[in-house]
Amino acid sequence: MLRKGVRRSGGAADRLRAHGLWGDLGEWRGCPRGRLWRVAAFVGRTLRGEWQGIVVDPVRQLGRRGLPALFLAFLAAFGVIFFHALAQRPAGAVVVRLLGGVKGDLPLWLALLRTPVSLYVPALDLPVWAGITSLFLAFALAELILGRARTLLISYATTLAGTLMVRVMLALGPGWGGLGLPPGAGQVLDTGPSAAVVGLFTYLAVVRRAPIVFALTGGSMVWESIAVPNLAGREHLIAVATAIVLALFHERDRRRPPTRPLLPVGRAESQGGTAGRPRPDDHVAVG
């Protein structure tokens, strides 16, 4: 019965094709609707993969490890709130400037000493409370996915890269195709966790293969930096580039095959080297 049904459906398709009502299967696969279906399927797979890697896995880690797994996220958020409240008073503003105020014309050793604290000093031209949400989310996801040590490494490396590249741009001076900066840019206060936030989101997007997350975070920062060129925008571009390079190195090290010894090592040798040796009381049968 099944074969008859298949034959009947095939015959009906042949009759419809003969009258021009069915069309060729190759034409149907090549039509715009088929391409749209493939694009929709690709977007669906991408969204499912990003949902699994960026949302589901961190939530499982949080349920397994509890709130102590978000130590860095809470520390970063409360650090920004503390320094923002401290800077509202004149004496507190002086303390904040001495501890975390980084500028391009400072001596290098002093800028490096203040850079870790400058992560918690909010920028003057950016809303503090609106940025705390993205700050907490970036550090929370990174701490759950990457671990505490790597989160600190990426956040500090991206911030430090921006601080050092500003000095290079100041040394180049105006011109150089828009790469250099005028001397007055060295007086601009260069603080805030935005470079670290952009770097963490970019790094997560690369290692978790999340193009949509990259477009919403690092990609949007790139577009904003091109549309409104300023010192902060250039540092965001440097943070994105640094995070991409670090993520690619991480992927290369992860895919590298494990090293093997040049000479084959037996199981007995690997366990101590004496099990494979003949002992005096061993008897070997001959014949």
Side-chain angles (χ1 to χ4, degrees):
M1 296 295 293
L2 182 59
R3 294 181 178 178
K4 293 181 180 179
V6 173
R7 290 176 182 175
R8 289 178 182 176
S9 61
D14 292 338
R15 288 193 296 270
L16 290 174
R17 189 178 293 110
H19 291 284
L21 299 176
W22 182 267
D24 191 7
L25 184 59
E27 295 178 358
W28 172 258
R29 289 179 179 176
C31 70
R33 184 179 298 179
R35 287 193 293 270
L36 290 176
W37 174 256
R38 287 194 295 270
V39 171
F42 172 77
V43 172
R45 289 193 302 268
T46 303
L47 288 174
R48 185 173 65 250
E50 294 195 23
W51 175 262
Q52 181 70 30
I54 303 297
V55 179
V56 176
D57 290 345
V59 169
R60 288 177 179 173
Q61 289 288 334
L62 180 60
R64 188 180 304 115
R65 297 161 56 188
L67 288 180
L70 302 180
F71 173 76
L72 288 181
F74 284 112
L75 179 64
F78 286 126
V80 171
I81 295 173
F82 171 76
F83 280 103
H84 173 68
L86 186 63
Q88 302 306 311
R89 301 178 180 180
V94 175
V95 173
V96 171
R97 179 176 56 81
L98 293 177
L99 291 178
V102 176
K103 295 181 181 180
D105 58 355
L106 285 177
L108 180 59
W109 67 270
L110 185 58
L112 294 177
L113 190 64
R114 294 181 180 180
T115 298
V117 184
S118 69
L119 282 168
Y120 305 101
V121 179
L124 299 177
D125 56 344
L126 296 177
V128 177
W129 300 104
I132 289 179
T133 303
S134 60
L135 170 69
F136 183 85
L137 184 60
F139 273 86
L141 289 176
E143 191 172 2
L144 291 171
I145 296 175
L146 306 174
R148 194 164 296 168
R150 184 165 292 175
T151 300
L152 286 174
L153 174 63
I154 300 304
S155 59
Y156 183 72
T158 51
T159 303
L160 184 61
T163 301
L164 296 178
M165 282 303 299
V166 166
R167 294 178 170 271
V168 174
M169 295 177 186
L170 288 171
L172 292 176
W176 296 88
L179 183 61
L181 289 173
Q187 299 291 329
V188 178
L189 190 63
D190 181 20
T191 59
S194 58
V197 172
V198 175
L200 288 174
F201 273 126
T202 303
Y203 189 93
L204 289 174
V206 175
V207 298
R208 286 301 174 105
R209 295 175 177 82
I212 297 177
V213 173
F214 177 80
L216 294 177
T217 55
S220 62
M221 287 295 178
V222 171
W223 173 253
E224 180 183 355
S225 302
I226 296 175
V228 184
N230 53 19
L231 183 61
R234 296 188 182 202
E235 290 194 352
H236 292 163
L237 289 176
I238 297 169
V240 171
T242 305
I244 291 175
V245 171
L246 293 175
L248 292 178
F249 272 106
H250 169 72
E251 288 294 300
R252 189 191 66 173
D253 293 339
R254 191 183 68 174
R255 295 177 181 178
R256 180 179 299 174
T259 57
R260 291 185 176 182
L262 297 178
L263 297 177
V265 179
R267 182 180 301 176
E269 295 180 2
S270 64
Q271 292 179 354
T274 59
R277 297 177 183 176
R279 293 174 297 184
D281 55 345
D282 287 342
H283 299 281
V284 180
V286 180

